[in-house]
Every structure is written in C-alpha cells, then in structure tokens.
C-alpha cells in the first residue's frame, strides 16, 4: 500500500523500536507516522523509512489504527472536499 500524505505528531513519531515488522523492500525498521489524507486522516501507521525523493518508498508496513467509523470517514471526506 502506498504511503499516504502524513503529518508529524510529537506523540507518535520516530522509529518503531521493535525489530518486527520491517518494511518490505529495504527490511528497515519502519517510521511511526500519522496519515493526513482524506478519510485516512489521523490514522497511525508504520511506514517505510526511505524518503520518497531519495528512492523507492515501499509504503505502509502496518496500520496501527483500524479504519475509522464510517460516519467519521464520511465527515473527513467532506472536510477534505471543502
Ligand atoms: Zn522500504
């Protein structure tokens, strides 16, 4: 899965410290990130640590938060349409 746009949140950032899981292509410890894109906004995930402008970024390693409630997803989608 492609890395969504993300925002840095001080409560969830830096490297994921456990050795598992690692990203698919580089086998590196993923970065803790918070999505900032449409209905995904605010969902925490572990993502490939390779910068998108420095090579291939292999995307989402693992979602920390499951999908938001549908009602919230619809509201978020509307906000992003504004
Ligand atoms: Zn990677």
């Amino acid at each position: 899965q492609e890395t969504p746009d993300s925002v840095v949140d001080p409560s969830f950032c830096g490297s994921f410290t456990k050795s598992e899981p690692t990203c698919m292509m580089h086998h590196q410890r993923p970065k803790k990130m918070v999505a900032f894109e449409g209905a995904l906004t605010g969902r925490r995930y572990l993502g490939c640590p390779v910068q998108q402008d420095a090579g291939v970024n292999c995307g989402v390693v693992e979602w920390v938060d499951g999908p938001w409630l549908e009602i919230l997803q619809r509201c978020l989608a509307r906000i992003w349409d504004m």
Side-chain angles (χ1 to χ4, degrees):
Q1 195 174 1
E2 237 174 81
T3 307
D5 283 339
S6 58
V7 66
V8 175
D9 188 287
S11 70
F12 193 77
C13 59
S15 291
F16 191 61
T17 44
K18 291 185 199 151
S19 57
E20 298 284 339
T22 57
C23 79
M24 237 166 40
M25 284 168 49
H26 314 96
H27 305 287
Q28 290 189 36
R29 285 181 184 175
K31 252 169 67 180
K32 296 192 274 186
M33 302 201 258
V34 179
F36 195 68
E37 185 183 310
L40 301 171
T41 300
R43 279 177 70 192
R44 294 169 296 174
Y45 67 97
L46 306 175
C48 176
V50 175
Q51 293 289 329
Q52 266 155 332
D53 52 8
V56 179
N57 180 291
C58 55
V60 175
V61 177
E62 195 173 291
W63 287 98
V64 173
D65 296 305
W68 299 139
L69 291 175
E70 254 175 71
I71 185 75
L72 177 54
Q73 290 191 39
R74 280 200 295 273
C75 290
L76 286 169
R78 278 190 71 171
I79 290 170
W80 278 80
D81 277 348
M82 285 162 109

